[in-house]
Amino acid sequence: MPPQPDPPAVPNVPPARTQTDWRVVALLFVTGIFAAWQFAKVALPLTAIAAHYGQTPETLAWLASIVGLVGTLLGVIAGRLVASIGPRRALVGALLAGGLVSGLQGFMPGLALMGGLRVAEGLSHLFIVIAAPTCMAAAATLHDRPVAMGVWAMFFGIAFAIGAELFPPIIAQAGLGGLFVAHGTGMGVLALILA
């Protein structure tokens, strides 16, 4: 029987791995933490943010939840876009965009502009949480993939726990704007590493 040709490559689908790259898995988990902080950096210090804008936490709750609302409304569309442009490019682009948006939030602009920036941040968050676990699965062997996905599933709760300890001293030293700038800087660094 003559030798069979190799099957054609499928776009955006890497070949099966023979060894899990745990460094990439860990890096993507850290990326997930920074994505969760897109929620936490507003939700945890909401009382201080409300005081800055002369509002009550109840009237500004939408500022925390708008990021999730974007995901609810645009999740299917974003999934298709990530598939078409490739998860790694989508992830790097979303991290860069998220870092820029967070940096702009550091100026503590007026409430209307801050709300618009939060909508943009919701798009960044959505692309990250679609692309990052896809990249994590690609970095793992079939045998290790369930473990890698189990690790990914913990990112949100762990991010809030870390944020609850980390954010107050940052705010005490650098203010609310400093927290947003630090978050944006971290996202930019992650984007450069993953690129």
Side-chain angles (χ1 to χ4, degrees), residues 1 14-15 22 27 37 41 46-47 55 59 64 69 86 89 104 113 134 136 138 141 147-148 168 178-179 181 193:
M1 186 172 182
W22 291 109
L27 185 60
W37 282 348
K41 70 181 183 183
L46 185 59
T47 300
Q55 305 280 333
T59 59
L69 180 61
R89 281 189 291 178
L104 292 173
L113 181 53
T134 305
M136 188 180 281
T141 63
V147 176
L179 174 64
V181 170
I193 294 171

Side-chain angles (χ1 to χ4, degrees), residues 35-50:
W37 282 348
Q38 291 176 303
F39 279 95
K41 70 181 183 183
V42 172
L44 291 175
L46 185 59
T47 300
I49 292 172

Side-chain angles (χ1 to χ4, degrees), residues 135-156:
C135 292
M136 188 180 281
T141 63
L142 290 175
H143 179 266
D144 291 335
R145 197 165 290 168
V147 176
M149 293 296 93
V151 168
W152 173 258
M154 298 186 295
F155 81 93
F156 215 87

Side-chain angles (χ1 to χ4, degrees), residues 92-176:
V92 170
L95 282 167
L96 288 172
L100 175 61
V101 167
S102 198
L104 292 173
Q105 289 169 348
F107 292 102
M108 300 302 293
L111 196 52
L113 181 53
M114 180 63 91
L117 289 171
R118 289 293 284 165
V119 171
E121 193 162 40
L123 290 170
S124 164
H125 177 84
L126 179 58
F127 276 83
I128 292 169
V129 298
I130 293 171
T134 305
C135 292
M136 188 180 281
T141 63
L142 290 175
H143 179 266
D144 291 335
R145 197 165 290 168
V147 176
M149 293 296 93
V151 168
W152 173 258
M154 298 186 295
F155 81 93
F156 215 87
I158 289 176
F160 267 74
I162 294 173
E165 295 296 323
L166 194 62
F167 294 173
I170 293 175
I171 293 170
Q173 290 293 320
L176 288 167

